[in-house]
Each structure stands twice: as C-alpha cells, then as structure tokens.
Amino acid sequence: MERGKMAEAESLETAAEHERILREIESTDTACIGPTLRSVYDGEEHGRFMEKLETRIRNHDREIEKMCNFHYQGFVDSITELLKVRGEAQKLKNQVTDTNRKLQHEGKELVIAMEELKQCRLQQRNISATVDKLMLCLPVLEMYSKLRDQMKTKRHYPALKTLEHLEHTYLPQVSHYRFCKVMVDNIPKLREEIKDVSMSDLKDFLESIRKHSDKIGETAMKQAQQQRNLDNIVLQQPRIGSKRKSKKDAYIIFDTEIESTSPKSEQDSGILDVEDEEDDEEGARETFENYYRKQRRKQARLVLQPPSNMHETLDGYRKYFNQIVGFFVVEDHILHTTQGLVNRAYIDELWEMALSKTIAALRTHSSYCSDPNLVLDLKNLIVLFADTLQVYGFPVNQLFDMLLEIRDQYSETLLKKWAGIFRNILDSDNYSPIPVTSEEMYKKVVGQFPFQDIELEKQPFPKKFPFSEFVPKVYNQIKEFIYACLKFSEDLHLSSTEVDDMIRKSTNLLLTRTLSNSLQNVIKRKNIGLTELVQIIINTTHLEKSCKYLEEFITNITNVLPETVHTTKLYGTTTFKDARHAAEEEIYTNLNQKIDQFLQLADYDWMTGDLGNKASDYLVDLIAFLRSTFAVFTHLPGKVAQTACMSACKHLATSLMQLLLEAEVRQLTLGALQQFNLDVRECEQFARSGPVPGFQEDTLQLAFIDLRQLLDLFIQWDWSTYLADYGQPNCKYLRVNPVTALTLLEKMKDTSRKNNMFAQFRKNERDKQKLIDTVAKQLRGLISSHHS
C-alpha cells in the first residue's frame, strides 16, 4: 500500500519536471537549449518525456492549422490587391522613363554651365592661394622696407627690434622663397652693421648728454622755480597737477635742448625710441644696456664730485645741483621713453648712491659757510633742488632732514652775526635817556619799542624816555633775528608748531647766550661809569618787560595758538635779570672803588694837638660825589638804589675804621681823633639826609654805628660805663669790640706819655695814667675771658 503511494508520488514529480523542461524548451533560445536537454538525458524517463514532447508538438500543429484557416481569406485578398498595384506600377515606370528622357535632354546645357563653373571655382581657389602667399610675403617685404628706412634714418634700436621680428616671426613662414633666402643671408651683416653704428651713436649720445646735463638741470630747476612762484600766486591750484605739468614740460625742454645743441640729436633720440613689442632676445640689448649703465655710472661719479671751492659762492652750489638734476632728468626721461635700457631698480640704486654723496658733500661744504645770507640762499637752493627732483619721482626726504641740520648751523651763523650787531649797538650807545621834542618823535620811538607811560605822555615837550637808544635798537634786532629764523623754515614742509618751536629755541639762544654775553662784556669792561651802569639797569628792566611782546610776535608770525601745550617759553626774563644783577654788583663795586680813591686822598695828622672845627676836604668831596651819584639813581628800582647806598655807607664806614686802626698808625692824639670824629659826623649827616628814599628812620646811619660808639667811648672817656655794661644786651657801647678798643687805647697811651695829651687833667695826671693802665689791663682781661 505504502509502496503504491510512493510510486504515485514519484510519477507526479517526474511529470512536473518534464512539464518544466518543455516550457524551457519553448521559451529558451536555441543556443542555450543544450543544458535543458542535458537534464532530460541525465534522467531515466526518456520515453515518457518523448511521449509528452510528441503530444506537445501535435497540440502546436493543431493550433497552427487553426490559425492558417482563420487568416486564409485575408491572404487571398492581399494577392488580388497586389495584382492591381502591379499595373499601376507599370504606368508609373513608363512616366518616369519619359520624364528621365526629357530631363537628360534638358540637362545638357546645365552640364556645360556646371563645367564652366567648375573651372571658375578652380581659378578662384588658385587666386586665393596666390593672395594668401602674397599676404605672407608682403609683411616680410614691408618689415624689410621698414628696416631699411630705420637704418637710413639712424634709428638703430628700433631697427634691431625690426630685424629680430623679421628673422624669427616673418621669414620662417616664407623661408622656401628665393628672395627670403637672400634676406636670411643678409641678416647677420645687417645686425652687425646696426650694432656698430648704434654703439657709435650711443657713445655720441652719452657724450652729448654729459655736455648738456648742466644746461638741462638749470632749465628744469628754473621751471620748478617758476611753477613754485605760480603755486604761491594761485594757491587753489592743486600742487600735484602742477608738478605733473612741470615734469611734462621739462621733458619737452630736455628733447629741445638735445635737438638744438647736438648735431646728432635725431639719431640719439632714435637710439632711445623703441616700440611696444616684447623682445625675447637678450644679446644686443644687454650689450647696449651694460655699456650705457657702465658709462652713466662713471658720469654720475664725476657729476657727484663737488669742486673744492664750491662753498665760496652760491654759483658753485648751483652748478653742482644743475649737473645732478640734469643727470637724473635724462635718466627719468630714458626710463619713460625706452624699454629695457634702464629700469626703476637701476635708477633707484643710482639715486640712493647720489643722495648719500650729495648729502655728504653738502654737510662738508656748508660747514665752511659763515655768512648767514649764503646759508639761507643755499637752503633755498637745496629746497628747489629737492622739489625739482621730487617732480620726477625721486625720494628727497633725506635732503629735508639734512636741511634741519643746516638749520642749526644757520642759527649759529646768525648768532655770530647778531653778536656783532649787539656789540656795535652797545658800543655806540650814549647811555642817556632818549630825548624827544615832538609828538612825531615820541610816536616813532613807541612804534619801535612797546612802551606806555601815562605820566610821561602827559608831560610837555621836550621830555625824555627812561631808557637809552639801545633798548629799541636791541628790541628791533631781536625781531629781525626772528624774521631771519622764519625765512629758513619756509618751504621745509614743517608744521606751524615745529616752526614756532624752532624760532623760540633759536631766540632763546640769542637772548641767553649772545645778548647776555654782549651785556656782560659791557658791564665788565674797564672804566665803565656809574651813569652807564645805572642806564643799563634801567634798559634791561624795560627789555625784560618787552619779552611778552616778543612772545606774541612769534605767535603771530607762526600762527600757533598761545595756549599750545608744548610751546617753548622765551628765557629773556632770566637774561635781563642776570644782566641787571651783574650791573648792580658792578655799581656796588664801582662805588666802593670810587670811595677807595677818595680815601687814598686822606691825609690825617695823627699827632696833631689842634682841635679841628670842620670835616676833612677829601671827605667833603666824597660826600658830594655820593650825593650827586645817588641823585642819578632816581630811575633805578628802589631796592637797587637803597642797596647801593647802604653798600657804599658800609664800605665807607669799614674803610674809615681800617684807616683808624691800621698798623702804620702807631700813635695818635686826641686832636686827631676829634678831627676824625668830625669826618664821621659828616658821614652820619649824609646818612640822615636821605640820599636815597625808602630807608626807615636811621637805618642808613647804622652803617656808621661801630665808628660812632668807638669814638664816643674815647672822646667821652666813658670806660666805667663800657666796663660795667660789657656783655649786656642793651649796653651803651655794644658795638665796641674790646680788641679794637685796646688797639686804639695802646696808640693813645704812648702819645699820652710823650705829648702829655691829658694836659687838661694835670691835677689828676697820675691817677689818669694809672686809669689808662687799669683800663688796658681790664680790656685784656675781657679779651682773655672772651677767647676762653
């Protein structure tokens, strides 16, 4: 039972496999049917498969037969239609044959015309080819003709360029032509000829520009000067535009100069006139470039070597600058009108070398200049030189930096010049107040010097200013110095603050060094009088007050605000104070010297027994001199006059004391002492008279207090009071030194014994002699205790 079921299952499986194989055979390409059939042979049911295959074939045959039966009538109908079409096709064929015959007959003329057209087209192509060939040859011929023209007109550098283009660009395209071969053979000869003639002309050109550089530079600098003048007139015109114009005009001047002065100017310019084409060949160009640059460097060294006497005149500097400007104008012109002969790097290197040598030469030669006018002219020339070259694009900042160095030298030359001016003013002054007799003269003086005095204005003419002539003269010369400093700062491209600072520093040097030295020399010179010294003090006082006006003057001409933080202050106040103090000291010294001269006339008879009744003549004269002298001090500042008077009185008192105590006076009498007392009283009377206002009570008399107490002590013979009160703060003879008293007493003791000077005390002579000895002993005791 089970075996039957298994057999049935295998049969069904085999049938399904055969069905699959049949489907594959029906649907698979014949080229790939082998594997399918292989699977049938690999099985064991070949017979059964064949049966199924035959059954499947019979089924397909039946289906084909059914399909044919179904479409047979359509096939018959199609054959009928095709037979009809064949008849129509025959008619069409006949029509086509007839049309073709007619077309062949009519087309004979067209064929002939087409043949003629063919010939024309052939000729046209030949002509076109000929034109093309000629178009290749014509540029060659044109370039060759151009080459000949350039050689004929001596334009050798363009001729070399043309030759290079002809050889490398045009001739290779038509090299198979015979005339081109002739050209190729001539090219080396032409090139050599051009090189030889070009080098000769280049040498001539170099010689020409060497000769005319001076003139070219002069013309360029004149044009720059004219342009600067025009810019100053028309301030609204942009300076850059004007510079461009100046540069263009300078080029025209350069070309004109060369053309008008050189017989080969056309050839020379031809050497430099090149076209815009790129040149790949270096040979000839490098030869020209190297030769040109080498020669120009040599010329530059010659141009930059200044003559040894250049500093003597401005023309020496001008010629030097003209040569340099001319040299670089030529180089700049060549840079902008040629290609390759020079380049910017070459010119920059040349200019850097020239700039350093020029600055070094100017530093050296300008240091010899002692004339400020020449230094100022040199500065203006350097500015013009720098501005001219700046037009051509050369950096000139170092030149302006060097001008700041020359500015210091200019300041020194100005100081030397003004030292002479001040010396002449001070030497020629009469040291007397300026008298004026009219309003016109008064206004002239106040117009020269800022002075205002309401009291003086109210006074009737004639009247006098308190100062002498040198005050307005010195003031105006200071202003002239400031103007001179300002002139140098012009065109240096400095700010107003920088100019202001420069002027103030230079003016400070003028005041603190130059003017101060001049005043000190006048004050310290020999034989200067008190009147002159007094006038100097008055003058310097007014000049000191004028410093604020000088400050305003500088501010006005430099347009710098007064409140500018970094503005340098003028030191004029210090200068005039120092001069005034020196004059004051000189007055004190001078007065003392005059007093000493009078004291040398003193002729005391120290042994006289007569009692005088009037002061000594020399002292009367001395007091008269002092009165007249202090009368001149009315215009002096109060403290100066008081100090001078006090100094004179102290010196007089000290000198009189020394005269009384000097060692040469070994003995003196009471009569001599009383005469001396009269002279001291004359001095005290002078002190009480108030020779100079401003002293309080008896302040001036205190100068003679030492003498007064000493004389009172001896004349009154008040030793008991002196010895009793000595050392007390309120003692009567506080100013009497025991050493001084002992010295004088010793001189009187000797005369007492010899000349019996105490004759009026004869009754008590022994007691008084004993008293002198006792006093001397006590004085020695005071001295001893004082020293211990």
Side-chain angles (χ1 to χ4, degrees), residues 146 150-151 153-162 194 198 201-202 205 254-255 264-277 288 292 330 333-342:
K146 180 180 179 181
Q150 289 172 339
M151 293 178 65
T153 56
K154 303 294 185 181
R155 300 174 66 239
H156 303 300
Y157 201 87
L160 283 175
K161 298 287 289 184
T162 303
I194 291 172
S198 297
D201 287 346
L202 179 59
F205 173 75
F254 164 69
D255 291 335
K264 293 186 178 182
S265 59
E266 185 179 359
Q267 296 93 315
D268 293 338
S269 63
I271 293 173
L272 306 176
D273 183 19
V274 300
E275 299 174 358
D276 296 333
E277 295 91 345
F288 279 101
Y292 176 84
V330 171
H333 181 71
I334 291 173
L335 175 66
H336 289 85
T337 56
T338 68
Q339 184 178 7
L341 191 59
V342 298

Side-chain angles (χ1 to χ4, degrees), residues 646-683:
M646 177 60 77
S647 173
C649 289
K650 284 183 177 180
H651 182 71
L652 177 58
T654 303
S655 299
L656 288 173
M657 180 69 78
Q658 291 175 351
L659 190 63
L660 184 64
L661 298 176
E662 65 182 4
E664 293 181 0
V665 181
R666 298 182 179 276
Q667 298 174 344
L668 58 80
T669 64
L670 181 60
L673 201 60
Q674 288 179 335
Q675 180 60 50
F676 196 82
N677 185 51
L678 290 174
D679 292 344
V680 173
R681 288 188 182 280
E682 187 72 18
C683 295

Side-chain angles (χ1 to χ4, degrees), residues 599-613:
L599 287 173
Q600 288 175 2
L601 301 176
D603 187 19
Y604 289 102
D605 182 5
W606 299 109
M607 301 302 296
T608 183
D610 298 332
L611 298 178
N613 56 6

Side-chain angles (χ1 to χ4, degrees), residues 456-594:
L456 183 62
E457 291 176 1
K458 292 179 180 179
Q459 293 178 15
F461 293 100
K463 52 189 174 183
K464 294 181 180 180
F465 285 96
F467 46 81
S468 68
E469 288 283 355
F470 95 60
V471 170
K473 288 182 179 178
V474 166
Y475 181 80
N476 280 283
Q477 283 302 321
I478 294 173
K479 291 174 66 176
E480 288 298 323
F481 178 87
I482 292 170
Y483 275 125
C485 293
L486 180 65
K487 287 180 181 178
F488 194 92
S489 66
E490 293 174 349
D491 300 318
L492 292 186
H493 311 302
L494 300 173
S495 66
S496 297
T497 304
E498 290 173 320
V499 173
D500 184 89
D501 188 62
M502 180 203 77
I503 292 176
R504 289 174 184 272
K505 287 180 179 178
S506 297
T507 306
N508 276 332
L509 285 175
L510 178 75
L511 295 172
T512 59
R513 194 171 76 186
T514 306
L515 180 55
S516 178
N517 289 341
S518 298
L519 290 171
Q520 294 292 340
N521 290 335
V522 171
I523 293 168
K524 297 297 182 182
R525 69 187 177 187
K526 294 181 179 180
N527 302 323
I528 187 168
L530 287 171
T531 304
E532 287 86 349
L533 291 170
V534 169
Q535 193 62 58
I536 289 173
I537 292 175
I538 296 170
N539 289 353
T540 52
T541 301
H542 288 283
L543 284 172
E544 180 184 345
K545 294 178 181 178
S546 71
C547 286
K548 63 179 182 180
Y549 298 103
L550 291 174
E551 294 263 8
E552 294 174 1
F553 175 72
I554 295 175
T555 300
N556 290 335
I557 65 173
T558 58
N559 295 320
V560 174
L561 296 177
E563 59 270 15
T564 302
V565 177
H566 300 292
T567 298
T568 303
K569 298 298 181 183
L570 292 183
Y571 302 144
T573 301
T574 303
T575 296
F576 298 124
K577 280 183 178 178
D578 291 344
R580 187 165 62 254
H581 292 159
E584 291 170 5
E585 291 297 328
E586 196 65 26
I587 285 178
Y588 308 150
T589 303
N590 194 300
L591 269 175
N592 293 343
Q593 290 174 350
K594 290 290 184 181

